Amino acid sequence: MATERTLSIIKPDATRRNLTGKINAKFEDAGLRIVAQKRIHLTKAQAGEFYKVHAARPFYDELTTFMASEPVVVQVLEGESAIQKNRDVMGATNPADAAPGTIRAEFAESVGENSVHGSDAPETAKEEISFFFSGLELVG
């Protein structure tokens, strides 16, 4: 297994409810380290640029509006197989399908307001991390 880095976003529905610490505890309990972190408030244009891969999908406008609605916490997680481990800890996108104990099973309000985002592949992780962080900010 290789040590990897992945992007994690704690979304507006979770920051609004002060769940950052509880969510981060789940990542850390799973063996992931937070090597960079900041709380930001995205503009709709910034959210649109980040989620541009979904621009043609019907949920794009709703997604970008939601992501700009409240602050988010963007962070880089590091660990063995961090991308898959993060995805396992997050749970299925639809909280009704998420395994018990996962972030989405416990905290998501809906499919759209599902509390967290995580990179889905090494290439995506690299691109997403560089969207929010410079190399100087990665201090693992």
Side-chain angles (χ1 to χ4, degrees):
M1 289 188 198
T3 297
E4 296 176 323
R5 287 182 172 169
T6 188
L7 183 79
S8 167
I9 301 176
I10 300 176
K11 293 182 178 182
D13 62 297
T15 62
R16 176 177 34 84
R17 293 177 291 144
N18 292 321
L19 297 173
T20 302
K22 290 178 181 177
I23 289 170
N24 282 338
K26 288 189 171 289
F27 293 136
E28 291 177 336
D29 289 348
L32 296 167
R33 284 182 17 152
I34 300 166
V35 297
Q37 181 182 69
K38 55 188 165 186
R39 185 179 181 95
I40 60 174
H41 197 146
L42 294 168
T43 65
K44 185 166 170 131
Q46 289 167 328
E49 179 62 23
F50 181 75
Y51 284 107
K52 67 184 175 192
V53 68
H54 298 302
R57 296 200 171 155
F59 60 82
Y60 177 74
D61 186 61
E62 182 180 350
L63 173 63
T64 57
T65 298
F66 166 63
M67 290 301 290
S69 69
E70 301 268 348
V72 297
V73 174
V74 293
Q75 54 196 9
V76 179
L77 306 177
E78 181 181 81
E80 293 293 321
S81 302
I83 295 166
Q84 187 58 54
K85 192 175 286 185
N86 179 36
R87 297 186 71 74
D88 291 344
V89 172
M90 289 190 307
T93 302
N94 183 342
D97 298 332
T102 62
I103 292 167
R104 289 175 173 152
E106 289 189 25
F107 303 124
E109 296 183 316
S110 67
V111 173
E113 296 187 10
N114 60 21
S115 300
V116 286
H117 165 91
S119 304
D120 61 1
E123 306 77 28
T124 314
K126 185 176 179 181
E127 183 178 320
E128 290 181 346
I129 290 167
S130 68
F131 185 90
F132 291 107
F133 295 96
S134 74
L136 291 173
E137 294 175 295
L138 304 174
V139 294

